[in-house]
Amino acid sequence: MEISTLTTYHCLAFAWYCFVAYSIAHVRTEERPSEVFLYGGQWKYLTVLNLVLQAVFYGVSFLADVLRLIKKLRCAKCVISSRDLLFSVLAFPVSTFVCISFWTLYTYNRELVYPKSLDGVIPRWLNHAMHTAVLPFAVLEILATPHRYLAKKKGVILLGFVAFLYISWVLWIYSVTGEWVYPLFASFSPAGLAAFFAGSLAVIISFYNFGEFLNRMIWGQCKFCF
């Protein structure tokens, strides 16, 4: 993809995610369903954290494109390294996990992750913007430009550390409020919950590997990996 076209795409994607994040941040809290508690705000939901992550990623990507356009190659190289790290370790696996896990659980029993009462608060388009569109954006990014991946061990460790931080945040919220971020968690025993978290980590690592596979198949391996 031409650099000017890529710059336009990243600018539009950045604006889109900023708009979606702004829209969900301004959902009227006075209309919240009884299932939704206030502690932690919207920052307790992986979906909302992912929107911020995507906005940051596309903002960094846009900056890298602009630096390349104005021939600031030394600065661009540093920003591109940050862009590739964000995408490979977080942006692709997390957005893929959010989309697939949400719609799988929603199809099985939506009350476990997205109670029907939320339909009166969050518009349908916003639900799809948060939970559906994130995956096509991630795949399109792989098709649009190559990304360098860390050595497998480093990438998996970093992704696992971030997952550990989020799980710790979820457990902290439960210890303070006695309420689970997602109703699904209440149906598990402690051992079952530990198994669920471990399984989720295995799934998101598989999405990391899948992103690396796609990147390698489309763009080659040695040239773009470090």
Side-chain angles (χ1 to χ4, degrees):
M1 186 180 291
E2 293 287 339
I3 182 61
S4 57
T5 305
L6 195 62
T7 304
T8 302
Y9 164 66
H10 283 148
C11 180
L12 292 174
F14 172 64
W16 166 252
Y17 275 112
C18 286
F19 170 69
V20 175
Y22 174 86
S23 298
I24 193 64
H26 286 77
V27 169
R28 290 170 291 184
T29 56
E30 65 271 14
E31 297 182 3
R32 66 184 177 88
S34 59
E35 299 93 334
V36 179
F37 55 95
L38 292 177
Y39 187 86
Q42 295 176 337
W43 306 110
K44 58 181 173 285
Y45 299 113
L46 183 60
T47 296
V48 176
L49 294 174
N50 181 56
L51 292 177
V52 176
L53 168 64
Q54 301 303 320
V56 170
F57 164 71
Y58 282 105
V60 171
S61 298
F62 176 59
L63 175 60
D65 296 338
V66 170
L67 291 172
R68 290 172 62 192
L69 279 174
I70 64 177
K71 308 300 183 182
K72 298 290 185 179
L73 299 183
R74 182 174 299 180
C75 294
K77 185 177 180 180
C78 179
V79 177
I80 288 172
S81 295
S82 299
R83 178 202 71 184
D84 291 345
L85 180 65
L86 277 171
F87 181 78
S88 62
V89 176
L90 294 176
F92 182 85
V94 173
S95 60
T96 305
F97 180 81
V98 165
C99 179
I100 292 179
S101 63
F102 175 83
W103 288 112
T104 299
L105 292 170
Y106 185 99
T107 302
Y108 173 71
N109 182 359
R110 66 171 296 177
E111 296 299 319
L112 296 175
V113 289
Y114 195 84
K116 191 172 179 61
S117 54
L118 286 175
D119 290 344
V121 180
I122 300 177
R124 181 174 296 181
W125 74 266
L126 187 53
N127 180 23
H128 283 290
M130 295 188 297
H131 297 117
T132 308
V134 291
L135 181 54
F137 267 103
V139 173
L140 182 57
E141 177 63 23
I142 285 186
L143 297 174
T145 187
H147 296 277
R148 294 178 294 174
Y149 273 69
L150 291 169
K152 179 66 65 67
K153 184 177 180 180
K154 291 181 179 178
V156 170
I157 288 174
L158 184 54
L159 176 58
F161 177 71
V162 174
F164 172 77
L165 289 179
Y166 180 69
I167 291 171
S168 298
W169 174 226
V170 168
L171 293 175
W172 169 259
I173 291 173
Y174 178 74
S175 71
V176 172
T177 66
E179 300 282 349
W180 287 110
V181 172
Y182 297 103
L184 168 69
F185 297 159
S187 62
F188 291 111
S189 66
L193 189 62
F196 177 81
F197 285 147
S200 297
L201 178 59
V203 169
I204 201 169
I205 289 174
S206 72
F207 291 148
Y208 169 88
N209 290 330
F210 181 61
E212 184 180 26
F213 169 77
L214 286 179
N215 186 77
R216 183 173 67 249
M217 291 298 293
I218 296 170
W219 301 103
Q221 182 176 14
C222 298
K223 185 177 180 180
F224 299 110
C225 297
F226 61 93

